[in-house]
Amino acid sequence: MTKTVLITGCSSGFGKATALTFAREGWNVVATMRDPTKAGELALHPNIFVTRLDVQEQDSIAQGVGAGIGRFGAIDVLVNNAGFGLFGVFEATPSDKLREQFEVNVFGAMEVTRALLPHFRSRRAGLVVNISSGAGVFTLPLLAPYCASKFALEGFSEALSHELAPLGIAVKIVEPGGVLDTNFGARSGAEAARTPTPADYDGVAEATARLYARLSAQATSTQDDVARVIFQAATDGSDQLRYVATEDIQPLVRARRETSEAAYLHFLRARIAG
Ligand code: NAP
């Protein structure tokens, strides 16, 4: 039986690369996006079905999930990929932007998951792969709302995995680090440019710009590398919960998970200071 994956945020980046990876591996793909006119090459693929789904709109979630099940008969795997990074000084970030960060990265993933659960329960099978970030494991300046959203997604995913395992449904978390060949940086930059920052933060902003320049120089993985890890998480049949998807963040992830809190903070603060 051909398996089917539904992916959110397929207009670019990891979503698009993941849709193409699964399709190449012979899967049926429900490639969802806010604006299906951005489908590009996905629309040409015989086993990719493009349909509209905005994770901030309850009706479009129901319609997108329903259309996907209608097209292929069943969905085996959900990849909650849609998301963006709000970059900037927390104090200066407008409240509606903070809420949007959580609406997309957290509540969006929650609502799409909930829309699939009756289908997964009826089959006593299913897998949810949530795309977190290194920013869901450790923290960085000028990225507080984004870190908060990805930490929330991690907590949600881990807790949900306990709740759903007895029903035959698995939850996994994929954690990419910096990947530069997606639209992530452009969207984050556009969000930051809209927010004027008090001059008191000039020193922090300059130091942080240098920090991100150093981190970007270490970012050697591509969107296709991350898509492979997402495919592995979906297909390896293991009960592994977390998958670190890029090499650049391994030292920080190890510091967080394999050393004391004090040693982790010392390591992280030294990295931030340069
Ligand atoms: P991207 O190229 O900007 O892709 C983000 C996708 O999310 C786009 O398809 C975008 O659609 C979609 N999206 C945004 N808001 C949405 C909404 N309300 N409903 C449905 N779709 C929405 O960036 P990416 O790097 O591939 O990011 C994908 C995921 O990876 C995100 O969750 C991000 O936080 C995470 N991540 C990225 C990196 C990185 O360095 N690139 C690292 C770690 C984690 P539109 O075209 O309509 O805006």
Side-chain angles (χ1 to χ4, degrees):
M1 278 288 285
T2 305
K3 291 200 163 194
T4 301
V5 60
L6 185 147
I7 309 167
T8 62
C10 287
S11 67
S12 64
F14 300 158
K16 182 172 238 169
T18 304
L20 290 169
T21 296
F22 275 84
R24 271 187 229 110
E25 295 287 343
W27 283 55
N28 295 323
V29 179
V30 184
T32 74
M33 59 193 76
R34 292 197 283 189
D35 176 4
T37 65
K38 293 185 179 174
E41 63 184 303
L42 299 186
L44 307 174
H45 218 286
N47 45 336
I48 297 180
F49 170 61
V50 176
T51 192
R52 184 174 181 278
L53 193 162
D54 184 330
V55 303
Q56 289 180 271
E57 286 177 19
Q58 201 68 49
D59 287 352
S60 94
I61 293 173
Q63 280 161 18
V65 168
I69 294 171
R71 172 68 176 80
F72 293 120
I75 290 169
D76 299 279
V77 175
L78 162 65
V79 179
N80 281 311
N81 163 74
F84 73 99
L86 200 51
F87 188 82
V89 165
F90 164 70
E91 184 187 340
T93 306
S95 296
D96 61 339
K97 280 284 152 193
L98 292 178
R99 287 176 194 286
E100 184 188 0
Q101 181 74 108
F102 272 70
E103 288 293 344
V104 176
N105 291 10
V106 184
F107 300 128
M110 287 179 172
E111 294 297 353
V112 180
T113 301
R114 187 149 59 183
L116 250 317
L117 284 180
H119 180 68
F120 285 169
R121 276 192 295 106
S122 72
R123 309 178 76 223
R124 291 202 75 80
L127 172 62
V128 181
V129 181
N130 288 334
I131 308 309
S132 176
S133 169
V137 184
F138 51 84
T139 51
L140 294 168
L142 270 61
L143 217 49
Y146 182 64
C147 289
S149 75
K150 292 299 187 181
F151 270 62
L153 183 67
E154 294 247 351
F156 166 66
S157 306
E158 186 175 317
L160 191 67
S161 74
H162 308 314
E163 191 171 312
L164 295 178
L167 284 69
I169 303 164
V171 181
K172 298 193 172 204
I173 302 166
V174 171
E175 297 159 334
V179 180
L180 305 179
D181 64 345
T182 76
N183 284 347
F184 187 83
R187 169 113 197 239
S188 300
E191 297 287 352
R194 277 195 280 268
T195 309
T197 301
D200 281 346
Y201 288 101
D202 284 355
V204 177
E206 283 160 22
T208 305
R210 289 194 295 275
L211 165 66
Y212 283 105
R214 290 196 299 278
L215 293 176
S216 293
Q218 292 162 10
T220 53
S221 297
T222 66
Q223 57 187 16
D224 290 325
D225 296 331
V226 174
R228 292 301 315 169
V229 177
I230 295 169
F231 183 77
Q232 182 199 341
T235 56
D236 68 8
S238 79
D239 62 359
Q240 184 177 334
L241 176 65
R242 289 184 167 84
Y243 295 73
V244 179
T246 64
E247 270 309 306
D248 58 335
I249 58 169
Q250 288 285 8
L252 277 164
V253 172
R254 276 198 290 271
R256 170 100 245 186
R257 296 193 172 136
E258 297 170 20
T259 72
S260 68
E261 173 84 351
Y264 154 69
L265 283 175
H266 179 76
F267 184 75
L268 178 61
R269 286 170 181 162
R271 283 285 178 104
I272 289 170

mmCIF file of all heavy atoms in Angstrom, residues 157-206:
data_model
loop_
_atom_site.group_PDB
_atom_site.id
_atom_site.type_symbol
_atom_site.label_atom_id
_atom_site.label_comp_id
_atom_site.label_asym_id
_atom_site.label_seq_id
_atom_site.Cartn_x
_atom_site.Cartn_y
_atom_site.Cartn_z
ATOM 1 N N SER A 157 4.821 18.335 22.156
ATOM 2 C CA SER A 157 5.087 17.102 21.402
ATOM 3 C C SER A 157 5.437 15.950 22.342
ATOM 4 O O SER A 157 4.933 14.827 22.187
ATOM 5 C CB SER A 157 6.244 17.317 20.421
ATOM 6 O OG SER A 157 6.005 18.424 19.589
ATOM 7 N N GLU A 158 6.324 16.237 23.306
ATOM 8 C CA GLU A 158 6.761 15.174 24.217
ATOM 9 C C GLU A 158 5.589 14.671 25.063
ATOM 10 O O GLU A 158 5.378 13.458 25.202
ATOM 11 C CB GLU A 158 7.902 15.676 25.102
ATOM 12 C CG GLU A 158 8.502 14.581 25.966
ATOM 13 C CD GLU A 158 9.725 15.060 26.765
ATOM 14 O OE1 GLU A 158 10.576 15.770 26.209
ATOM 15 O OE2 GLU A 158 9.802 14.717 27.957
ATOM 16 N N ALA A 159 4.807 15.612 25.613
ATOM 17 C CA ALA A 159 3.652 15.209 26.438
ATOM 18 C C ALA A 159 2.644 14.413 25.602
ATOM 19 O O ALA A 159 2.121 13.380 26.035
ATOM 20 C CB ALA A 159 2.990 16.445 27.042
ATOM 21 N N LEU A 160 2.395 14.903 24.388
ATOM 22 C CA LEU A 160 1.410 14.239 23.531
ATOM 23 C C LEU A 160 1.849 12.829 23.157
ATOM 24 O O LEU A 160 1.019 11.916 22.993
ATOM 25 C CB LEU A 160 1.189 15.086 22.270
ATOM 26 C CG LEU A 160 0.010 14.706 21.381
ATOM 27 C CD1 LEU A 160 -1.316 14.980 22.111
ATOM 28 C CD2 LEU A 160 0.050 15.478 20.055
ATOM 29 N N SER A 161 3.178 12.651 23.036
ATOM 30 C CA SER A 161 3.671 11.327 22.644
ATOM 31 C C SER A 161 3.266 10.272 23.680
ATOM 32 O O SER A 161 2.947 9.135 23.321
ATOM 33 C CB SER A 161 5.189 11.333 22.439
ATOM 34 O OG SER A 161 5.877 11.385 23.671
ATOM 35 N N HIS A 162 3.256 10.663 24.975
ATOM 36 C CA HIS A 162 2.851 9.707 26.021
ATOM 37 C C HIS A 162 1.360 9.368 25.895
ATOM 38 O O HIS A 162 0.945 8.231 26.086
ATOM 39 C CB HIS A 162 3.089 10.297 27.415
ATOM 40 C CG HIS A 162 4.485 10.823 27.642
ATOM 41 N ND1 HIS A 162 5.607 10.115 27.285
ATOM 42 C CD2 HIS A 162 4.929 11.988 28.186
ATOM 43 C CE1 HIS A 162 6.681 10.822 27.605
ATOM 44 N NE2 HIS A 162 6.297 11.957 28.133
ATOM 45 N N GLU A 163 0.591 10.410 25.572
ATOM 46 C CA GLU A 163 -0.876 10.282 25.537
ATOM 47 C C GLU A 163 -1.342 9.430 24.357
ATOM 48 O O GLU A 163 -2.343 8.726 24.444
ATOM 49 C CB GLU A 163 -1.415 11.713 25.419
ATOM 50 C CG GLU A 163 -2.862 11.949 25.596
ATOM 51 C CD GLU A 163 -3.109 13.482 25.650
ATOM 52 O OE1 GLU A 163 -2.397 14.205 26.394
ATOM 53 O OE2 GLU A 163 -4.001 13.943 24.932
ATOM 54 N N LEU A 164 -0.596 9.522 23.253
ATOM 55 C CA LEU A 164 -1.059 8.870 22.021
ATOM 56 C C LEU A 164 -0.443 7.487 21.793
ATOM 57 O O LEU A 164 -0.992 6.697 21.015
ATOM 58 C CB LEU A 164 -0.761 9.764 20.810
ATOM 59 C CG LEU A 164 -1.525 11.093 20.776
ATOM 60 C CD1 LEU A 164 -1.104 11.914 19.549
ATOM 61 C CD2 LEU A 164 -3.038 10.869 20.739
ATOM 62 N N ALA A 165 0.682 7.208 22.461
ATOM 63 C CA ALA A 165 1.344 5.919 22.220
ATOM 64 C C ALA A 165 0.407 4.730 22.440
ATOM 65 O O ALA A 165 0.382 3.797 21.616
ATOM 66 C CB ALA A 165 2.600 5.791 23.094
ATOM 67 N N PRO A 166 -0.414 4.731 23.517
ATOM 68 C CA PRO A 166 -1.297 3.577 23.722
ATOM 69 C C PRO A 166 -2.333 3.402 22.616
ATOM 70 O O PRO A 166 -2.931 2.338 22.482
ATOM 71 C CB PRO A 166 -1.991 3.895 25.061
ATOM 72 C CG PRO A 166 -1.125 4.906 25.729
ATOM 73 C CD PRO A 166 -0.498 5.696 24.626
ATOM 74 N N LEU A 167 -2.554 4.467 21.813
ATOM 75 C CA LEU A 167 -3.528 4.392 20.723
ATOM 76 C C LEU A 167 -2.864 4.029 19.393
ATOM 77 O O LEU A 167 -3.489 4.092 18.330
ATOM 78 C CB LEU A 167 -4.269 5.727 20.575
ATOM 79 C CG LEU A 167 -5.356 6.058 21.605
ATOM 80 C CD1 LEU A 167 -4.767 6.327 22.980
ATOM 81 C CD2 LEU A 167 -6.160 7.266 21.151
ATOM 82 N N GLY A 168 -1.562 3.742 19.441
ATOM 83 C CA GLY A 168 -0.859 3.362 18.217
ATOM 84 C C GLY A 168 -0.390 4.555 17.389
ATOM 85 O O GLY A 168 -0.029 4.414 16.222
ATOM 86 N N ILE A 169 -0.408 5.744 18.009
ATOM 87 C CA ILE A 169 -0.031 6.966 17.286
ATOM 88 C C ILE A 169 1.268 7.514 17.891
ATOM 89 O O ILE A 169 1.372 7.654 19.117
ATOM 90 C CB ILE A 169 -1.150 8.032 17.386
ATOM 91 C CG1 ILE A 169 -2.468 7.465 16.841
ATOM 92 C CG2 ILE A 169 -0.756 9.309 16.653
ATOM 93 C CD1 ILE A 169 -3.701 8.278 17.233
ATOM 94 N N ALA A 170 2.244 7.802 17.046
ATOM 95 C CA ALA A 170 3.550 8.279 17.518
ATOM 96 C C ALA A 170 3.717 9.771 17.243
ATOM 97 O O ALA A 170 3.110 10.317 16.310
ATOM 98 C CB ALA A 170 4.665 7.494 16.828
ATOM 99 N N VAL A 171 4.547 10.404 18.053
ATOM 100 C CA VAL A 171 4.900 11.818 17.853
ATOM 101 C C VAL A 171 6.420 11.925 17.851
ATOM 102 O O VAL A 171 7.078 11.316 18.703
ATOM 103 C CB VAL A 171 4.325 12.714 18.977
ATOM 104 C CG1 VAL A 171 4.688 14.177 18.739
ATOM 105 C CG2 VAL A 171 2.811 12.557 19.093
ATOM 106 N N LYS A 172 6.962 12.661 16.901
ATOM 107 C CA LYS A 172 8.409 12.862 16.829
ATOM 108 C C LYS A 172 8.717 14.347 16.652
ATOM 109 O O LYS A 172 7.870 15.110 16.186
ATOM 110 C CB LYS A 172 9.000 12.044 15.684
ATOM 111 C CG LYS A 172 8.794 10.535 15.892
ATOM 112 C CD LYS A 172 9.627 9.720 14.951
ATOM 113 C CE LYS A 172 9.525 8.228 15.340
ATOM 114 N NZ LYS A 172 10.692 7.472 14.877
ATOM 115 N N ILE A 173 9.941 14.710 16.994
ATOM 116 C CA ILE A 173 10.393 16.103 16.916
ATOM 117 C C ILE A 173 11.667 16.144 16.076
ATOM 118 O O ILE A 173 12.611 15.401 16.360
ATOM 119 C CB ILE A 173 10.717 16.651 18.326
ATOM 120 C CG1 ILE A 173 9.499 16.555 19.253
ATOM 121 C CG2 ILE A 173 11.233 18.076 18.245
ATOM 122 C CD1 ILE A 173 9.859 16.768 20.732
ATOM 123 N N VAL A 174 11.695 17.002 15.059
ATOM 124 C CA VAL A 174 12.919 17.208 14.275
ATOM 125 C C VAL A 174 13.449 18.608 14.585
ATOM 126 O O VAL A 174 12.700 19.590 14.558
ATOM 127 C CB VAL A 174 12.637 17.036 12.768
ATOM 128 C CG1 VAL A 174 13.849 17.470 11.944
ATOM 129 C CG2 VAL A 174 12.291 15.576 12.465
ATOM 130 N N GLU A 175 14.748 18.677 14.902
ATOM 131 C CA GLU A 175 15.382 19.930 15.341
ATOM 132 C C GLU A 175 16.472 20.353 14.360
ATOM 133 O O GLU A 175 17.612 19.901 14.465
ATOM 134 C CB GLU A 175 15.978 19.724 16.740
ATOM 135 C CG GLU A 175 14.927 19.408 17.800
ATOM 136 C CD GLU A 175 15.497 18.722 19.043
ATOM 137 O OE1 GLU A 175 16.546 18.049 18.932
ATOM 138 O OE2 GLU A 175 14.882 18.853 20.106
ATOM 139 N N PRO A 176 16.130 21.217 13.386
ATOM 140 C CA PRO A 176 17.179 21.748 12.508
ATOM 141 C C PRO A 176 17.892 22.919 13.176
ATOM 142 O O PRO A 176 17.314 23.629 13.985
ATOM 143 C CB PRO A 176 16.403 22.260 11.280
ATOM 144 C CG PRO A 176 14.974 21.831 11.473
ATOM 145 C CD PRO A 176 14.780 21.627 12.942
ATOM 146 N N GLY A 177 19.153 23.123 12.788
ATOM 147 C CA GLY A 177 19.871 24.339 13.173
ATOM 148 C C GLY A 177 19.754 25.336 12.042
ATOM 149 O O GLY A 177 18.728 25.409 11.365
ATOM 150 N N GLY A 178 20.829 26.100 11.805
ATOM 151 C CA GLY A 178 20.759 27.109 10.760
ATOM 152 C C GLY A 178 20.811 26.492 9.371
ATOM 153 O O GLY A 178 21.711 25.713 9.068
ATOM 154 N N VAL A 179 19.830 26.811 8.558
ATOM 155 C CA VAL A 179 19.798 26.356 7.168
ATOM 156 C C VAL A 179 19.455 27.580 6.321
ATOM 157 O O VAL A 179 18.401 28.192 6.506
ATOM 158 C CB VAL A 179 18.753 25.236 6.961
ATOM 159 C CG1 VAL A 179 18.749 24.795 5.505
ATOM 160 C CG2 VAL A 179 19.065 24.055 7.877
ATOM 161 N N LEU A 180 20.360 27.932 5.412
ATOM 162 C CA LEU A 180 20.258 29.246 4.779
ATOM 163 C C LEU A 180 19.525 29.233 3.444
ATOM 164 O O LEU A 180 19.180 30.293 2.924
ATOM 165 C CB LEU A 180 21.672 29.829 4.591
ATOM 166 C CG LEU A 180 22.511 29.901 5.887
ATOM 167 C CD1 LEU A 180 23.897 30.464 5.595
ATOM 168 C CD2 LEU A 180 21.813 30.728 6.957
ATOM 169 N N ASP A 181 19.257 28.049 2.864
ATOM 170 C CA ASP A 181 18.649 28.036 1.537
ATOM 171 C C ASP A 181 17.114 27.919 1.594
ATOM 172 O O ASP A 181 16.493 27.316 0.719
ATOM 173 C CB ASP A 181 19.265 26.937 0.647
ATOM 174 C CG ASP A 181 19.006 25.522 1.165
ATOM 175 O OD1 ASP A 181 18.606 25.368 2.343
ATOM 176 O OD2 ASP A 181 19.206 24.563 0.389
ATOM 177 N N THR A 182 16.501 28.484 2.645
ATOM 178 C CA THR A 182 15.037 28.570 2.716
ATOM 179 C C THR A 182 14.671 30.050 2.799
ATOM 180 O O THR A 182 15.544 30.910 2.838
ATOM 181 C CB THR A 182 14.485 27.847 3.962
ATOM 182 O OG1 THR A 182 14.711 28.663 5.112
ATOM 183 C CG2 THR A 182 15.141 26.486 4.172
ATOM 184 N N ASN A 183 13.367 30.330 2.888
ATOM 185 C CA ASN A 183 12.935 31.737 3.023
ATOM 186 C C ASN A 183 12.927 32.230 4.459
ATOM 187 O O ASN A 183 12.479 33.332 4.743
ATOM 188 C CB ASN A 183 11.512 31.904 2.452
ATOM 189 C CG ASN A 183 11.516 31.908 0.940
ATOM 190 O OD1 ASN A 183 12.568 32.019 0.315
ATOM 191 N ND2 ASN A 183 10.345 31.777 0.349
ATOM 192 N N PHE A 184 13.422 31.380 5.382
ATOM 193 C CA PHE A 184 13.335 31.692 6.813
ATOM 194 C C PHE A 184 14.021 33.023 7.147
ATOM 195 O O PHE A 184 13.439 33.885 7.812
ATOM 196 C CB PHE A 184 13.968 30.545 7.612
ATOM 197 C CG PHE A 184 13.802 30.670 9.091
ATOM 198 C CD1 PHE A 184 12.638 30.251 9.712
ATOM 199 C CD2 PHE A 184 14.812 31.207 9.878
ATOM 200 C CE1 PHE A 184 12.485 30.360 11.094
ATOM 201 C CE2 PHE A 184 14.666 31.318 11.258
ATOM 202 C CZ PHE A 184 13.505 30.891 11.864
ATOM 203 N N GLY A 185 15.253 33.202 6.680
ATOM 204 C CA GLY A 185 16.012 34.415 7.001
ATOM 205 C C GLY A 185 15.355 35.656 6.431
ATOM 206 O O GLY A 185 15.284 36.698 7.095
ATOM 207 N N ALA A 186 14.825 35.554 5.206
ATOM 208 C CA ALA A 186 14.189 36.707 4.578
ATOM 209 C C ALA A 186 12.945 37.123 5.366
ATOM 210 O O ALA A 186 12.726 38.306 5.632
ATOM 211 C CB ALA A 186 13.821 36.374 3.130
ATOM 212 N N ARG A 187 12.144 36.126 5.783
ATOM 213 C CA ARG A 187 10.931 36.474 6.554
ATOM 214 C C ARG A 187 11.317 37.054 7.914
ATOM 215 O O ARG A 187 10.741 38.056 8.342
ATOM 216 C CB ARG A 187 10.038 35.234 6.721
ATOM 217 C CG ARG A 187 8.907 35.419 7.725
ATOM 218 C CD ARG A 187 7.525 35.414 7.122
ATOM 219 N NE ARG A 187 6.537 35.975 8.024
ATOM 220 C CZ ARG A 187 5.459 35.341 8.489
ATOM 221 N NH1 ARG A 187 5.214 34.111 8.082
ATOM 222 N NH2 ARG A 187 4.609 35.937 9.294
ATOM 223 N N SER A 188 12.315 36.455 8.586
ATOM 224 C CA SER A 188 12.741 36.965 9.901
ATOM 225 C C SER A 188 13.262 38.394 9.767
ATOM 226 O O SER A 188 12.959 39.256 10.594
ATOM 227 C CB SER A 188 13.851 36.092 10.488
ATOM 228 O OG SER A 188 13.409 34.783 10.658
ATOM 229 N N GLY A 189 14.035 38.635 8.707
ATOM 230 C CA GLY A 189 14.583 39.975 8.488
ATOM 231 C C GLY A 189 13.485 40.991 8.242
ATOM 232 O O GLY A 189 13.522 42.110 8.764
ATOM 233 N N ALA A 190 12.470 40.587 7.467
ATOM 234 C CA ALA A 190 11.357 41.495 7.172
ATOM 235 C C ALA A 190 10.573 41.803 8.446
ATOM 236 O O ALA A 190 10.161 42.942 8.670
ATOM 237 C CB ALA A 190 10.443 40.867 6.118
ATOM 238 N N GLU A 191 10.385 40.781 9.294
ATOM 239 C CA GLU A 191 9.665 41.012 10.555
ATOM 240 C C GLU A 191 10.449 41.990 11.427
ATOM 241 O O GLU A 191 9.882 42.904 12.016
ATOM 242 C CB GLU A 191 9.475 39.685 11.317
ATOM 243 C CG GLU A 191 8.635 38.638 10.607
ATOM 244 C CD GLU A 191 7.149 38.982 10.592
ATOM 245 O OE1 GLU A 191 6.755 39.951 11.250
ATOM 246 O OE2 GLU A 191 6.403 38.285 9.883
ATOM 247 N N ALA A 192 11.782 41.806 11.515
ATOM 248 C CA ALA A 192 12.615 42.649 12.370
ATOM 249 C C ALA A 192 12.624 44.095 11.876
ATOM 250 O O ALA A 192 12.586 45.034 12.674
ATOM 251 C CB ALA A 192 14.038 42.101 12.426
ATOM 252 N N ALA A 193 12.643 44.256 10.553
ATOM 253 C CA ALA A 193 12.745 45.599 9.981
ATOM 254 C C ALA A 193 11.536 46.464 10.310
ATOM 255 O O ALA A 193 11.620 47.681 10.312
ATOM 256 C CB ALA A 193 12.919 45.483 8.464
ATOM 257 N N ARG A 194 10.411 45.811 10.618
ATOM 258 C CA ARG A 194 9.184 46.565 10.913
ATOM 259 C C ARG A 194 9.148 47.100 12.340
ATOM 260 O O ARG A 194 8.258 47.841 12.694
ATOM 261 C CB ARG A 194 7.961 45.654 10.697
ATOM 262 C CG ARG A 194 7.506 45.567 9.245
ATOM 263 C CD ARG A 194 6.113 44.975 9.174
ATOM 264 N NE ARG A 194 6.139 43.524 9.287
ATOM 265 C CZ ARG A 194 6.200 42.697 8.250
ATOM 266 N NH1 ARG A 194 6.217 43.186 7.031
ATOM 267 N NH2 ARG A 194 6.218 41.400 8.423
ATOM 268 N N THR A 195 10.106 46.674 13.186
ATOM 269 C CA THR A 195 10.026 46.983 14.615
ATOM 270 C C THR A 195 11.141 47.931 15.044
ATOM 271 O O THR A 195 12.299 47.520 15.165
ATOM 272 C CB THR A 195 10.136 45.673 15.434
ATOM 273 O OG1 THR A 195 9.196 44.745 14.924
ATOM 274 C CG2 THR A 195 9.859 45.925 16.905
ATOM 275 N N PRO A 196 10.851 49.225 15.269
ATOM 276 C CA PRO A 196 11.893 50.141 15.751
ATOM 277 C C PRO A 196 12.337 49.759 17.165
ATOM 278 O O PRO A 196 11.516 49.352 17.979
ATOM 279 C CB PRO A 196 11.198 51.512 15.750
ATOM 280 C CG PRO A 196 9.767 51.285 15.463
ATOM 281 C CD PRO A 196 9.524 49.846 15.171
ATOM 282 N N THR A 197 13.642 49.870 17.429
ATOM 283 C CA THR A 197 14.195 49.382 18.691
ATOM 284 C C THR A 197 14.772 50.545 19.498
ATOM 285 O O THR A 197 15.493 51.379 18.931
ATOM 286 C CB THR A 197 15.320 48.373 18.379
ATOM 287 O OG1 THR A 197 14.770 47.319 17.618
ATOM 288 C CG2 THR A 197 15.916 47.805 19.645
ATOM 289 N N PRO A 198 14.499 50.628 20.813
ATOM 290 C CA PRO A 198 15.101 51.697 21.630
ATOM 291 C C PRO A 198 16.629 51.672 21.559
ATOM 292 O O PRO A 198 17.229 50.595 21.521
ATOM 293 C CB PRO A 198 14.616 51.362 23.050
ATOM 294 C CG PRO A 198 13.401 50.516 22.864
ATOM 295 C CD PRO A 198 13.600 49.754 21.598
ATOM 296 N N ALA A 199 17.228 52.851 21.566
ATOM 297 C CA ALA A 199 18.688 52.970 21.389
ATOM 298 C C ALA A 199 19.475 52.235 22.479
ATOM 299 O O ALA A 199 20.614 51.829 22.244
ATOM 300 C CB ALA A 199 19.088 54.442 21.357
ATOM 301 N N ASP A 200 18.868 52.054 23.670
ATOM 302 C CA ASP A 200 19.567 51.318 24.735
ATOM 303 C C ASP A 200 20.013 49.934 24.279
ATOM 304 O O ASP A 200 20.930 49.351 24.855
ATOM 305 C CB ASP A 200 18.659 51.136 25.957
ATOM 306 C CG ASP A 200 18.590 52.390 26.806
ATOM 307 O OD1 ASP A 200 19.436 53.283 26.599
ATOM 308 O OD2 ASP A 200 17.677 52.467 27.660
ATOM 309 N N TYR A 201 19.326 49.392 23.288
ATOM 310 C CA TYR A 201 19.639 48.036 22.828
ATOM 311 C C TYR A 201 20.679 48.011 21.702
ATOM 312 O O TYR A 201 20.984 46.938 21.180
ATOM 313 C CB TYR A 201 18.368 47.338 22.328
ATOM 314 C CG TYR A 201 17.402 46.942 23.438
ATOM 315 C CD1 TYR A 201 16.274 47.716 23.695
ATOM 316 C CD2 TYR A 201 17.610 45.805 24.207
ATOM 317 C CE1 TYR A 201 15.375 47.369 24.699
ATOM 318 C CE2 TYR A 201 16.726 45.452 25.211
ATOM 319 C CZ TYR A 201 15.611 46.228 25.454
ATOM 320 O OH TYR A 201 14.733 45.877 26.442
ATOM 321 N N ASP A 202 21.207 49.170 21.318
ATOM 322 C CA ASP A 202 22.123 49.200 20.169
ATOM 323 C C ASP A 202 23.316 48.257 20.353
ATOM 324 O O ASP A 202 23.696 47.527 19.435
ATOM 325 C CB ASP A 202 22.634 50.630 19.919
ATOM 326 C CG ASP A 202 21.568 51.497 19.258
ATOM 327 O OD1 ASP A 202 20.485 50.951 18.924
ATOM 328 O OD2 ASP A 202 21.805 52.708 19.092
ATOM 329 N N GLY A 203 23.895 48.271 21.562
ATOM 330 C CA GLY A 203 25.062 47.412 21.818
ATOM 331 C C GLY A 203 24.705 45.940 21.703
ATOM 332 O O GLY A 203 25.435 45.150 21.082
ATOM 333 N N VAL A 204 23.552 45.568 22.286
ATOM 334 C CA VAL A 204 23.098 44.170 22.211
ATOM 335 C C VAL A 204 22.849 43.790 20.751
ATOM 336 O O VAL A 204 23.228 42.700 20.297
ATOM 337 C CB VAL A 204 21.782 43.983 23.029
ATOM 338 C CG1 VAL A 204 21.266 42.566 22.886
ATOM 339 C CG2 VAL A 204 22.000 44.350 24.475
ATOM 340 N N ALA A 205 22.215 44.710 20.019
ATOM 341 C CA ALA A 205 21.875 44.414 18.616
ATOM 342 C C ALA A 205 23.147 44.198 17.796
ATOM 343 O O ALA A 205 23.215 43.277 16.968
ATOM 344 C CB ALA A 205 21.039 45.544 18.036
ATOM 345 N N GLU A 206 24.167 45.035 18.055
ATOM 346 C CA GLU A 206 25.417 44.879 17.283
ATOM 347 C C GLU A 206 26.125 43.572 17.643
ATOM 348 O O GLU A 206 26.590 42.842 16.755
ATOM 349 C CB GLU A 206 26.344 46.074 17.549
ATOM 350 C CG GLU A 206 25.903 47.320 16.791
ATOM 351 C CD GLU A 206 26.480 48.605 17.388
ATOM 352 O OE1 GLU A 206 27.513 48.541 18.096
ATOM 353 O OE2 GLU A 206 25.872 49.665 17.145
#
